Amino acid sequence: MSLKILLVDDSRTIRNIQKNTLKMLGHTDVTEAADGIEALACIAKHRPDLMLVDWNMPNMDGITLIKKVRESDKKLPIIMVTTEAEKSRVLEALKAGVNNYVVKPFTAETLSEKIAQTMAKFAPAPAASAN
């Protein structure tokens, strides 16, 4: 299943790497934003199915972005993709509202697993059987 993904990272190089990885995984509908402010504008225009967010960015960092998104949208799946690997940082991100966490550098398999785990959390519950 191809998802509409918003990729938020201040590094064009990292965005290109992630975009290529997402393309390898079959996700070709990827919109890019360089910071939280651009990301909010993108979300207002076209709500993505999934958002991948870096922590450290100029203008508006990833944690601030996530908190702002969660003020109005609790159901947008969000994965933090960052070099911040300390447990306290992971907990801070989860508390802010991320649904999953990927530490850079990552493999395509890791990203694929995290996307699948995250989207499964938002999948509609299967209909009850009529037994």
Side-chain angles (χ1 to χ4, degrees), residues 2-5 19 22-31:
S2 181
L3 300 168
K4 190 165 58 174
I5 297 175
K19 195 171 179 177
L22 290 167
K23 189 175 179 181
M24 282 177 22
L25 298 173
H27 303 292
T28 55
D29 189 355
V30 179
T31 302

Side-chain angles (χ1 to χ4, degrees), residues 99-100 110-122:
N99 304 104
N100 222 323
T110 299
L111 185 61
S112 179
E113 284 174 23
K114 297 290 185 174
I115 290 172
Q117 288 172 1
T118 303
M119 297 314 292
K121 294 177 187 174
F122 289 89

Side-chain angles (χ1 to χ4, degrees), residues 47-79:
R47 184 184 183 276
D49 300 319
L50 171 68
M51 197 162 75
L52 304 181
V53 181
D54 184 24
W55 190 302
N56 299 303
M57 298 179 288
N59 303 320
M60 181 188 291
D61 65 23
I63 289 295
T64 304
L65 169 63
I66 290 160
K67 289 177 180 174
K68 286 200 175 289
V69 168
R70 288 299 183 226
E71 288 173 3
S72 61
D73 191 339
K74 306 261 189 252
K75 295 186 176 182
L76 174 59
I78 302 174
I79 300 175

